[in-house]
């Protein structure tokens, strides 16, 4: 178990090659060839990305503010809320020729929605996942605010989830992510 962001009980799903947690946040190096994806279009299953999560039941709101040294295609960082390897949502910023705010919703197979940013972010990005009953609202923004609606997705209301910061480097050699703030409001 890991203590960070003012609380304990955090656990790694797929520990990264390097990470540190201190009073200033969490720094993670995403491992080479890591990802979360199931079947759609590409035909493969990947469940090797990194999540530092806590277990929750019921409603919750989680907000993460972070920056990253995006280098290679599909480098990604943000938040994940996960029932199991077949049912999860990840949302964040990734690189695919340009920076995209993206959400992948997986219920047996993955679907991917994305919004290109007009320019690379000059500072930090903030992502928020709010679980209310059987719905997860996804928002994003900058400067510590996640005030731009991005997606509404379904997730089983009664399922325990693992939720927290995530990152992955599907095609690259790895990259560093700095989470400077993580706010959790259980329902």
């Amino acid at each position: 178990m890991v203590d960070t962001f003012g609380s304990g009980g955090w656990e790694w799903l797929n520990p990264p090659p390097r990470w540190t947690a201190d009073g200033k946040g969490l720094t993670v190096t995403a491992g080479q060839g890591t990802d979360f994806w199931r079947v759609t279009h590409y035909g493969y299953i990947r469940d090797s990305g990194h999540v530092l999560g806590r277990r929750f039941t019921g409603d919750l709101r989680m907000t993460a503010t972070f920056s990253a040294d995006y280098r290679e295609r599909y480098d990604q960082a943000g938040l994940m809320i996960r029932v199991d390897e077949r049912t999860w949502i990840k949302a964040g910023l990734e690189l695919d020729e340009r920076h995209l705010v993206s959400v992948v919703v997986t219920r047996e197979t993955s679907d991917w929605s994305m919004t290109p940013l007009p320019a690379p972010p000059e500072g930090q990005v903030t992502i928020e996942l709010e679980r209310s009953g059987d719905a997860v609202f996804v928002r994003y923004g900058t400067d510590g605010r996640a005030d731009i609606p991005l997606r509404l997705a379904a997730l089983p209301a009664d399922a325990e989830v693992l939720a927290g910061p995530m990152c992955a480097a599907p095609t690259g050699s790895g990259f560093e992510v700095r989470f400077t703030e993580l706010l959790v409001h259980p329902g």
Side-chain angles (χ1 to χ4, degrees):
M1 294 292 181
V2 177
D3 291 334
T4 190
F5 299 110
S7 64
W10 297 93
E11 62 185 87
W12 281 110
L13 172 68
N14 306 321
R18 286 184 306 283
W19 65 274
T20 59
D22 57 26
K24 297 178 182 178
L26 173 69
T27 301
V28 182
T29 300
Q32 179 178 357
T34 54
D35 198 6
F36 291 105
W37 189 261
R38 284 193 69 81
V39 183
T40 308
H41 183 66
Y42 303 106
Y44 56 71
I45 296 172
R46 301 284 188 271
D47 198 42
S48 57
H50 315 293
V51 179
L52 181 62
R54 284 182 43 206
R55 304 230 173 243
F56 296 93
T57 55
D59 295 349
L60 75 107
R61 189 176 71 205
M62 182 175 285
T63 307
T65 300
F66 60 94
S67 60
D69 298 324
Y70 297 94
R71 295 184 194 153
E72 299 180 61
R73 191 173 193 193
Y74 303 131
D75 283 355
Q76 58 193 261
L79 288 174
M80 177 177 264
I81 185 168
R82 175 185 171 101
V83 175
D84 57 29
E85 69 278 359
R86 289 177 153 78
T87 308
W88 48 264
I89 299 169
K90 68 176 177 176
L93 189 68
E94 73 178 89
L95 186 63
D96 184 8
E97 296 181 19
R98 59 191 197 178
H99 289 85
L100 305 171
V101 180
S102 69
V103 181
V104 175
V105 177
T106 300
R107 290 180 300 271
E108 292 298 327
T109 58
S110 295
D111 77 40
W112 183 25
S113 59
M114 64 215 90
T115 300
L117 295 179
E122 292 186 17
Q124 296 183 315
V125 173
T126 301
I127 296 289
E128 181 176 272
L129 299 177
E130 181 181 359
R131 181 185 194 189
S132 179
D134 66 351
V136 175
F137 297 89
V138 181
R139 298 176 189 89
Y140 77 99
T142 57
D143 301 323
R145 294 185 326 264
D147 53 0
I148 303 168
L150 188 61
R151 178 110 186 233
L152 171 64
L155 195 74
D158 57 347
E160 179 184 70
V161 296
L162 179 72
M166 64 75 56
C167 61
T171 62
S173 59
F175 72 110
E176 188 174 273
V177 183
R178 288 168 302 286
F179 293 92
T180 57
E181 187 171 33
L182 181 68
L183 302 172
V184 180
H185 304 280

